[in-house]
Amino acid sequence: MLLRARVAVKRAMARARSTLMGPHVEAVMCRAGAHRFILPATDFTIGRKLAFFGAYNEEEFDTLRRLVADHDVREIAFVGSHVGYFVVKTAELVERVTAVEPNPATLELLELNLRLNACENVTVHNMAATSEACVLEFVAARENTGSSHVRRAGEQGESIRVQGRTLDSLGLSPELVVIDTEGHEIDVLAGMAETLGRVRAVSCELIPALLRGAG
């Protein structure tokens, strides 16, 4: 009940923001320290945090920074890169970054943010990392675009089709892999057995309710 109430509030605030700015505003730009980020105008999660506080999940970034230092990381792969907040900040710490993002609308902002922050060491792949090559149904959220995800069994509502590929098919050799795929983590891991043999550390978001829903 509480979760539904929070979602309803975010949707109402997102609609209010869009109404105030105008129907043709697709994105807004926020400053976060030395960086600038372009975010969806409707996003009331990371968008709100950056708009009001100029930062987002700094504890998570501190964890990534420690992993980079502790494991002598020179190459990192982000699976579920969103608009690139962590990609941009981490690109300054390593030699090479791979960013995987399946949502076409989010991918556009990710690429804009990489150019805006002069990130020349990042390679972007428009795909959903999964267990095998396939086409997947993908739910693109509006109020919390970071919660966009591969459609779950029995889930209703609109979706788009995205290309699914294994991470192994990219032939990467990262020391660190960061996975944030909103319940699709098991399929991601199943498609990166060879890659896992080369990594030194994995940072993986696990949400029990989503994993149970995925079986």
Side-chain angles (χ1 to χ4, degrees):
M1 184 65 73
L2 181 59
L3 178 59
R4 290 181 180 177
R6 287 177 177 173
V7 170
V9 168
K10 284 185 178 181
R11 287 177 177 170
M13 296 300 288
R15 286 195 297 269
R17 176 191 252 190
S18 296
T19 300
L20 289 171
M21 289 190 297
H24 302 290
V25 178
E26 293 184 354
V28 296
M29 185 168 68
C30 299
R31 178 169 293 280
H35 306 105
R36 289 177 294 169
F37 294 93
I38 300 173
L39 302 125
T42 60
D43 192 297
F44 229 70
T45 300
I46 182 174
R48 178 180 178 277
K49 290 289 182 64
L50 290 186
F52 283 94
F53 307 109
Y56 177 74
N57 279 10
E58 287 306 291
E59 289 184 2
E60 185 173 340
F61 177 67
D62 287 342
T63 298
L64 293 179
R65 183 161 43 196
R66 287 196 300 272
L67 286 171
V68 167
D70 293 346
H71 296 278
D72 189 26
V73 172
R74 291 173 296 175
E75 182 174 346
I76 183 171
F78 284 88
V79 184
S81 301
H82 194 228
V83 297
Y85 182 75
F86 291 122
V87 174
V88 167
K89 297 185 66 163
T90 309
E92 298 179 342
L93 307 177
V94 299
E95 295 177 8
R96 293 180 299 278
V97 181
T98 297
V100 173
E101 175 54 47
N103 188 342
T106 305
L107 179 87
E108 183 178 9
L109 298 183
L110 166 62
E111 292 178 330
L112 286 172
N113 287 328
L114 293 176
R115 291 198 290 271
L116 187 63
N117 292 282
C119 297
E120 298 181 355
N121 60 336
V122 180
T123 301
V124 177
H125 295 275
N126 183 201
M127 56 175 264
T130 191
S131 58
E132 60 183 358
C134 61
V135 175
L136 295 168
E137 295 292 326
F138 189 83
V139 178
R142 283 174 52 82
E143 297 81 18
N144 177 7
T145 53
S147 68
S148 299
H149 57 274
V150 172
R151 185 194 287 277
R152 300 162 191 139
E155 186 174 10
Q156 303 298 315
E158 295 183 1
S159 65
I160 59 176
R161 290 191 167 190
V162 300
Q163 183 62 49
R165 291 177 58 187
T166 66
L167 206 64
D168 283 343
S169 70
L170 301 181
L172 305 176
S173 297
E175 288 89 4
L176 172 61
V177 177
V178 180
I179 304 171
D180 183 356
T181 54
E182 302 296 311
H184 198 64
E185 291 80 12
I186 299 302
D187 292 85
V188 173
L189 292 167
M192 58 179 291
E194 295 176 8
T195 307
L196 279 173
R198 297 189 287 270
V199 305
R200 298 175 185 170
V202 175
S203 172
C204 185
E205 179 188 67
L206 299 175
I207 302 175
L210 296 183
L211 290 176
R212 286 194 296 270

